[in-house]
Amino acid sequence: MRTMVCSCEDTMPLDRASIAHAADGPGLSCHRHLCRSEIDAFSRAARDPGKLLVACTQEEPVFREAAAVDAGAADLHFTNIRERAGWSAQAADAGPKMAALLAEAMVEPVPTAALPVRSDGRVLVRGDADVALAAARQLAGRLAVTCVVDGFGDTQPPAVADFALFAGRAAAAQGHVGSFAVRFSDVSAPRPASRARLEPATLHQTMEVECDVVLDLSRRPALFPGKPPRDGYVRVDPGDPVAVQKALFEVADMVGEFEKPRYVVVDTAICAHSRNNITGCTKCLDACPTAAITPADDAVQVDALACGGHGACNSLCPTGAIQYQVPRQQDQFERLRVLLGTYAKAGGERPVLLLHDRHGTQAVDLLARHGRGLPANVLPFAINELGSAGPDLYLTAFAQGAARIVLLAMPEHRGTLDHLGGGLELADDLMEGLGYGPDRLALEWVEDPDAFAEALEQPVEPGAPHAGYMVLGGRREAFTAALDHLHAHAPAPVDVLPLDEGAPFGRVVVDTDGCTLCLACVGACPTHALSDNPDRPQLSFAEDACVQCGLCVGTCPEKVVSLEPRIRFGEKTREVIKEEEPFACVVCGTEFATKSAIDRVVEKLAGHSMFSSEEQLNLLKMCADCRVIAQVKASGSSTLAPPPRVRTTDDYLAERAARDPARRKDH
């Protein structure tokens, strides 16, 4: 990819030698005023087909217009190195960081799936009469508006009734953008003859409003929970005029056909929610703020149209059954590998990875414009939603060379990121347990930008060297690759690291004396950590596949299974927990069960009246076929129905004669 960088009128230094690690050779050109006095250089470059990366996002419209005017054939890409690197008190040392940011921008993610959504402009406006009516009047000229106020109060009747108006109390709501249904109770319409104030007319028990978009300006509880709310459900503080106007512009644009991202996908085969009506993992169900996840048989299902992309399900899922798709996990890990790898190659040391979403981008820009900017070793890494980050991302970042990870959170999102605590604590415990030291991760709330900048400038100890591997496979494979690298370079490696209860790593402990090898646990295990042997009675276990969901504990009829949260490093092998010689039928010798199972059954039934003799107890030691034969012989007769008798010609003649006496006489 050809790359053009600009010093933005020499407001930031450009270290060409460092930047060349990302864009080597003739593909790199440095400029001072690319968007204005040197725009011809861009136009010449844009004429040639191929990918062209411009290190400027502020003037992207100018560059695209210039390319269009000049019939440019280049595939244009843009990235920001100014606010993220160049505008900083440590800009002189930011060359490796600029190289890393440019290299990351060259990684093209695979487009993710989207859902077609149609909105016909049907809008429900709900709230106090004064605010809701004013908002409805603004929208009525372009949208089909239904306004339901909490009460008419002293509101003056509108001069023209250009939208449907009711008073009522919201009772229930369901649906998603393009197909909402809100039910109201105690509904009344205004009397057309209302004069000085709106007067209620007839009273209806209930009314359901179907709409494409909901604008909620009420001070009453939200129709849909969660932050962010469902797409198409816009809720703002009615006492904030600026927020109300912003919401009106947003709602007015929600008309027509557009695409909604499919934020997550579910692999039901490895979902650990339940088996055989026994509940295991419920982490995604408990954490989803929009109630878009519901049980579906043994797995969970996601209502993609109701999903707001919060990402808590992805952060908490231990198996990887739920995966965030904006962007895909593989693309995110590849950006991470290239970012940290290029930084190390360009001479950068002790990188601090700054995870942030679109809200954090604004904080980074403000810090660059009005403060000291980001330190030279702080690499901003944008993800769609901060809530989607999880231990797989943290550990992969550490394995790729990050010395510390800081999550940048905005104060208005307090209460929506509580689920991140467990993953942060787990990754920090792992790093400390391997000797890398504590406090390798932090969730920072940006309430005081200066204090936040000072926290980023704190010294940090080096971490593991850059691994350089590409992450292939699912979440468990990402965990395994990262942990192996971190353990191999650990200052204080250990063979086994104990973890707190609830961690998604550990082993299954089986009381082998009480285990009958019924293998119920094998059938319940969603990750195949527990498995059997088709050739002999055997139970084996692979610790690296266990997610500690507890389904084996709940399924075991003998109650001899328990969990031990931990991580065992070293060779990944499947260990045999218990095996037995198969029990052979005492009659024919066919192997049909385990000795412990037969002994247990014989022991329990020995005193039963139906098994009072040795012959009767021997029935329990026979295979199914021999047991039936023995029972038939003991009874002296078969309990089976006799085979049908073959009918002959004489039978038919006898039946005809019985029906026709004349024929019988002649015969």
Side-chain angles (χ1 to χ4, degrees), residues 183-222:
R183 189 172 77 252
F184 292 89
S185 60
D186 302 328
V187 178
S188 61
R191 292 183 59 225
S194 298
R195 186 172 182 177
R197 54 188 292 273
L198 287 172
E199 300 174 0
T202 56
L203 181 68
H204 304 282
Q205 293 299 319
T206 60
M207 176 184 73
E208 185 169 279
V209 178
E210 296 182 353
C211 57
D212 302 305
V213 181
V214 178
L215 175 58
D216 193 344
L217 303 175
S218 176
R219 291 182 172 85
R220 297 186 178 183

Side-chain angles (χ1 to χ4, degrees), residues 100-187:
L101 295 174
L102 290 171
E104 180 205 1
M106 297 177 188
V107 178
E108 290 192 75
V110 174
T112 53
L115 300 166
V117 176
R118 178 179 177 82
S119 171
D120 294 323
R122 301 173 302 164
V123 178
L124 168 64
V125 180
R126 172 205 181 207
D128 294 339
D130 52 348
V131 179
L133 284 172
R137 290 190 187 102
Q138 285 188 251
L139 296 173
R142 61 179 64 186
L143 302 175
V145 178
T146 299
C147 182
V148 181
V149 297
D150 296 332
F152 290 135
D154 295 328
T155 305
Q156 182 177 339
V160 178
D162 51 353
F163 56 86
L165 175 60
F166 302 92
R169 180 171 55 86
Q174 62 181 4
H176 47 75
V177 58
S179 181
F180 285 109
V182 183
R183 189 172 77 252
F184 292 89
S185 60
D186 302 328
V187 178

Side-chain angles (χ1 to χ4, degrees), residues 268 273-274 294-301:
T268 57
H273 171 56
S274 70
T294 54
D297 296 327
D298 284 342
V300 298
Q301 62 183 2

